Amino acid sequence: MSAIALVTGGNRGIGSAIAKSLTAAGYTVIVTYRSGPAPAEYKSVQMDVTSTESVDAGFDLIEQTWGAPEIVVCNAGVTKDTLSMRMSDEDFEDVIDANLTGAFRAARRATKGLLKLRRGRLIFIGSVVGLSGSAGQVNYSASKAGLVGMARSFARELGSRGITANVVAPGFVETDMTATLDEKRRDEIAKSVPMQRFCSAEEIADVVTFLASPQASYITGAVIPVDGGLGMGH
Ligand code: NDP
């Protein structure tokens, strides 16, 4: 069997596009889903990244059934946007728990298998707002900024074993997450992007697939922007 790639939150949006791209590149792809039915197109396991038990059980099942993932894409994420004055502790903690601690839970568990393989890739889906900040997204921006320090620490801990850790930082991407924006706000955002448009999920997936490839073997601790120029200078 070809190398195993795992994508958390791979049942829809960017995660699903990443799963499709990695499949086309020849990997055996496993996606995780939290709610809803298992996606028909991919091998899948149920996993809630806010639960250590769920993450560990999901990895146990993957390893027993298919083997240890060599490519691990920590993509699952949520938003709970509101201005900081109105943001409750719960709003803040829930987003950190899913986006930052959730990625940590998955990456920590994945490391066991990667160390045995003595090669592999940790790829974290961050965001342009992790470095630029974003009004109404104190929780989300903090979670995505945290991924940068986390990826770089994994890069330092695991580099000698041939394992890389990087962040892909998208700008605004056409998915359910941005579908709630009204047309006026979408136009404003598109005009603020040098490329004058939103990104497709496939454009993020292509970069993730490159980072997974042997061609990216010496890239680690990097934050790769895929944001149409929105975050230039950060
Ligand atoms: P979607 O809302 O379309 O999908 C989110 C995915 O994450 C779903 O598969 C969802 O599962 C999963 N998920 C959420 N919470 C959990 C959890 N606790 N445990 C397991 N899985 C969970 O989002 P996108 O595809 O747009 O976003 C994917 C990633 O890209 C996120 O990390 C997001 O922050 C990031 N990103 C997105 C941008 C955008 O503009 N869309 C821009 C920059 C970054 P379920 O279906 O069960 O809810």
Side-chain angles (χ1 to χ4, degrees), residues 9-15 34-35 47-50 75-78 98 125-127 140 144 170-173 175-178:
N11 52 314
R12 59 193 174 96
I14 294 171
R34 174 184 53 161
S35 50
M47 188 183 286
D48 183 341
V49 297
T50 64
N75 164 78
V78 294
I125 308 302
S127 169
Y140 183 78
K144 296 301 187 181
F172 287 91
V173 186
T175 68
D176 294 345
M177 196 175 263
T178 50

Side-chain angles (χ1 to χ4, degrees), residues 185-215:
R185 182 76 189 115
R186 292 175 70 82
D187 280 353
E188 282 167 10
I189 290 169
K191 285 202 182 92
S192 69
V193 180
M195 295 297 292
Q196 301 276 293
R197 63 171 177 86
F198 278 44
C199 184
S200 72
E202 289 70 28
E203 287 172 307
I204 305 299
D206 287 343
V207 175
V208 171
T209 299
F210 166 67
L211 281 175
S213 74
Q215 285 72 28

Side-chain angles (χ1 to χ4, degrees), residues 61-126:
L61 182 61
I62 291 165
E63 287 170 356
Q64 285 155 18
T65 314
W66 298 289
E70 181 174 330
I71 313 296
V72 179
V73 185
C74 298
N75 164 78
V78 294
T79 50
K80 266 197 180 185
D81 299 351
T82 188
L83 289 173
S84 57
M85 296 274 280
R86 281 189 230 121
M87 190 176 285
S88 65
D89 284 8
E90 199 185 10
D91 292 335
F92 188 85
E93 286 163 2
D94 285 354
V95 171
I96 298 289
D97 194 25
N99 297 5
L100 181 59
T101 320
F104 168 67
R105 290 183 184 100
R108 176 182 58 187
R109 181 60 185 77
T111 299
K112 276 191 189 178
L114 297 179
L115 286 172
K116 275 196 203 129
L117 285 167
R118 296 188 71 84
R119 62 176 183 276
R121 304 275 191 267
L122 294 173
I123 302 169
F124 299 92
I125 308 302

